[in-house]
Amino acid sequence: MPYTPPLRDFDFILEQIVAFDQVRATDRFVEATPDMVQAILSEGGRLCSEVIAPLRRPGDVTPTRLENGAVVSPPGYAEGFAALAEGGWIGISADPEFGGMGMPQTVSTAFYEMMSAACLSLQMNPLLTQGQIEALEHHASDDIKALYLPKLISGEWSGTMNLTEPQAGTDLAALRSKAEPQEDGTYRVSGQKIYISWGDCDFTQNICHLVLARLPDAPAGSKGISLFLVPKIIPNADGSLGAPNSLRVVSLEHKLGIHGSPTCVMEYEGATGWLVGAPHKGLAAMFTMMNNARVGVGVQGIGAAEGAYQHALAYAQDRKQGPTPKGATAIIDHPDIRRQLAIMRAEVFAARAIALANCVAIDMATATGGAGWAARAGWLTPITKAYGTDTGIAVSDMGIQIHGGMGFIEETGAAQFLRDVRVTAIYEGTNAIQALDLVGRKLGDGGTAAFALLDDMADTARASDMGAPVAEAVQALRVATEWMLSQDMLARAGGATAYLRAFARVLGAHMHLKAAQSGEAPRIALARVYLDHLLPEHSAHLAAMRADPATYLSLAPEDLTA
């Protein structure tokens, strides 16, 4: 089915919800004028609708495959990627010195949401490249930047990140890949990596892998990990391609969804690599890319939710089934169908506004160096990732329900949204890890960032005629935050997921209250839907947060068997 870019929502949120005018007022992003941003998103939306969206279904039914050690992509992917590259879309936020547009991350995030809705499998390729560009901009030597960044930004080359190993998933301290220094300043990288999205492709000239590995003198644990840039084909000094490197794709994973995106098992056998950043500081460098990716993955969830919502809405308007209370026959006039659609729309709006607020904070931190902005961006990142992907899953699931029996039939395309988006709650740090990050590292400031945001939310509630339930929820969340700060890490860990979900619920209500202040009747009605049907969940989450983890930790493995 066709995809309609939500351009009006983007414009409304940027101008009336997240105060994007602050970003364009900085010297760094002065060119991000309203006309410029609207032109970029309008053209990007057209590309996603007309070129990228038609690739979603073909990539599902004709997935990537491995032939003679090389990936063969689905029909049309090469042409779709070429359109992205030719339009400069891969480097929207990249440094103009190397060919990028230099736009704020807020703008690139809006574009990548549209691309996620259009074709999530293909979107993963430039998203990873974008993250690698940012990592190299921050941590690579000048020589590496000069050689690699123009090629990555232009789309001639693509990028990946290689963290996970068979024995080292979340626990990266257990990784075994090694890197041996050579006399010419390069390193020989050896080891196996798994779950490498777009570890190979047939529409870029080169694939550049960022690989975590250990130097011979590395200390044990996560403090002994370094980061290396390992290209598929070793480039010459002038950027032309030289000899193939000593790496290969061992196999492709067979997955629930995102069939158009190859998830590779990679083998490095003394492959030539270059150190990125300082020795033994690889995680810090890689986390530049991972933090970018965590926001990006949250936005993948939002994009999938938007696509599933549009798919379900179109079906509900067309499907005739039984008399409704209004006497019409389209199922959209059944109260429960209308309720589900309204909830889907309300969830998508809240998640989108949170993600864009996160990006505004990132851009303001980049442009001003303000510690407060960096702290807010840090606080919002795990919420964006977890709530965005949870929303993608929940909305896609509701989309299937609205289709009824036809939603369970693959030909309608409704199920693909759920199959594709399901992994987003897992990769780039599971949503449980996001919650642990929130109550651990992010509350390590004594709650300063959390309380500053709660103050803003309370101000919005006080200024709104609809704000009473939100004010109560904000106060409950404040008390919950104080409770978290008083607990040991076991109690925090036990309540982390519930706390993050409660915070996201209340933050979503805050965004809807701000939208209702526009006075637009549909915005007011949608805010009421969120306050009536979704905000009350925060109370249940906060109650669960305080539950003693000893209750379930006391259950031995044998107690959990049937």
Side-chain angles (χ1 to χ4, degrees):
M1 64 159 285
Y3 164 68
T4 302
L7 298 175
R8 186 176 181 277
D9 243 22
F10 285 130
D11 182 66
F12 180 83
I13 291 172
L14 292 179
E15 302 306 323
Q16 300 195 46
I17 305 297
V18 300
F20 184 70
D21 58 309
Q22 300 173 92
V23 176
R24 66 168 63 98
T26 65
D27 292 338
R28 175 72 175 264
F29 297 120
V30 68
E31 294 185 4
T33 63
D35 288 346
M36 175 64 77
V37 172
Q38 287 179 3
I40 289 173
L41 295 185
S42 178
E43 179 59 23
R46 184 200 63 78
L47 176 70
C48 290
S49 178
E50 297 178 6
V51 178
I52 306 301
L55 303 177
R56 185 177 72 88
R57 189 64 178 157
D60 191 51
V61 299
T62 310
T64 52
R65 63 187 190 277
L66 193 64
E67 290 187 359
N68 300 318
V71 160
V72 178
S73 60
Y77 271 42
E79 293 78 8
F81 185 86
L84 291 168
E86 290 166 5
W89 297 104
I90 297 169
I92 301 176
S93 298
D95 191 336
E97 178 183 351
F98 301 103
M101 293 187 194
M103 284 288 110
Q105 185 171 329
T106 307
V107 178
S108 62
T109 293
F111 170 73
Y112 279 114
E113 189 213 297
M114 292 188 287
M115 193 178 172
S116 298
C119 182
L120 185 56
S121 289
L122 181 57
Q123 185 265 353
M124 290 181 66
N125 186 296
L127 180 70
L128 288 165
T129 300
Q130 182 191 46
Q132 186 172 115
I133 289 167
E134 185 169 355
L136 295 181
E137 284 179 345
H138 283 83
H139 301 287
S141 67
D142 290 342
D143 287 344
I144 287 178
K145 290 179 185 178
L147 179 58
Y148 283 84
L149 287 178
K151 299 289 188 180
L152 291 166
I153 291 168
S154 70
E156 295 172 77
W157 299 353
S158 57
T160 74
M161 60 178 176
N162 290 235
L163 292 81
T164 307
E165 298 179 7
Q167 80 293 338
T170 299
D171 183 14
L172 291 175
L175 70 82
R176 298 171 185 161
S177 294
K178 61 183 181 178
E180 299 175 352
Q182 305 299 299
E183 292 184 358
D184 63 358
T186 64
Y187 296 80
R188 296 297 182 195
V189 178
S190 300
Q192 187 178 94
K193 298 289 184 177
I194 62 173
Y195 302 149
I196 309 307
S197 298
W198 285 103
D200 190 39
C201 72
D202 55 0
F203 46 72
T204 61
Q205 300 171 7
N206 203 2
I207 298 97
C208 308
H209 303 284
L210 281 179
V211 183
L212 290 178
R214 295 185 184 280
L215 291 167
D217 62 344
S222 60
K223 294 181 179 179
I225 298 172
S226 300
L227 181 63
F228 301 88
L229 181 58
V230 186
K232 177 182 178 181
I233 302 174
I234 301 171
N236 299 314
D238 63 358
S240 61
L241 297 180
N245 213 342
S246 299
L247 57 89
R248 64 191 179 98
V249 180
V250 176
S251 62
L252 301 184
E253 302 291 358
H254 301 280
K255 303 172 296 185
L256 176 68
I258 53 171
H259 294 149
S261 169
T263 301
C264 303
V265 176
M266 301 294 301
E267 188 75 33
Y268 296 88
E269 301 167 327
T272 299
W274 285 262
L275 182 68
V276 175
H280 318 313
K281 302 296 183 182
L283 276 184
M286 182 63 91
F287 262 96
T288 298
M289 186 175 186
M290 286 191 67
N291 283 330
N292 179 296
R294 285 175 172 178
V295 175
V297 170
V299 170
Q300 285 182 333
I302 299 164
E306 176 68 35
Y309 167 71
Q310 291 190 20
H311 203 74
L313 177 62
Y315 183 82
Q317 290 173 314
D318 182 67
R319 174 67 167 166
K320 308 296 192 295
Q321 191 70 22
T324 73
K326 293 183 177 182
T329 56
I331 63 171
I332 194 171
D333 287 322
H334 285 287
D336 195 62
I337 297 293
R338 189 72 65 91
R339 176 190 64 84
Q340 291 182 79
L341 288 166
I343 288 174
M344 293 165 79
R345 176 84 172 94
E347 286 275 45
V348 172
F349 179 86
R352 178 178 291 139
I354 290 170
L356 293 176
N358 190 352
C359 291
V360 165
I362 291 171
D363 289 330
M364 290 300 293
T366 299
T368 69
W373 285 114
R376 176 153 297 190
W379 183 260
L380 289 175
T381 292
I383 297 174
T384 295
K385 197 278 185 182
Y387 179 47
T389 57
D390 282 347
T391 294
I393 293 166
V395 169
S396 297
D397 184 59
M398 292 179 75
I400 293 175
Q401 190 70 20
I402 286 173
H403 280 75
M406 295 303 294
F408 204 66
I409 305 300
E410 287 288 358
E411 284 77 5
T412 64
Q416 185 186 343
F417 288 106
L418 182 57
R419 288 189 291 101
D420 283 354
V421 78
R422 185 60 186 84
V423 71
T424 61
I426 299 171
Y427 60 26
E428 304 308 335
T430 66
N431 287 0
I433 289 174
Q434 307 306 314
L436 290 172
D437 178 48
L438 193 70
V439 303
R441 190 164 24 237
K442 300 302 166 53
L443 274 182
D445 66 352
T448 300
F451 290 131
L453 185 53
L454 287 167
D455 288 344
D456 289 350
M457 294 157 66
D459 289 344
T460 297
R462 282 192 292 268
S464 172
D465 293 339
M466 301 166 57
V470 182
E472 292 177 8
V474 170
Q475 179 58 27
L477 197 54
R478 188 183 300 275
V479 172
T481 303
E482 293 168 348
W483 180 89
M484 267 289 176
L485 288 166
S486 71
Q487 302 300 305
D488 61 22
M489 281 311 301
L490 177 60
R492 289 195 194 188
T497 293
Y499 175 75
L500 185 150
R501 288 176 173 169
F503 209 109
R505 270 284 164 254
V506 182
L507 187 55
H510 164 71
M511 297 301 180
H512 272 287
L513 278 188
K514 295 185 77 171
Q517 289 173 352
S518 69
E520 298 178 19
R523 301 285 182 187
I524 295 171
L526 199 65
R528 178 56 62 193
V529 168
Y530 191 97
L531 299 186
D532 290 346
H533 294 270
L534 297 171
L535 177 61
E537 293 177 4
H538 85 280
S539 296
H541 292 315
L542 293 182
M545 178 197 73
R546 291 179 169 84
D548 187 351
T551 304
Y552 49 81
L553 291 175
S554 67
L555 293 169
E558 56 269 24
D559 297 327
L560 298 172
T561 58

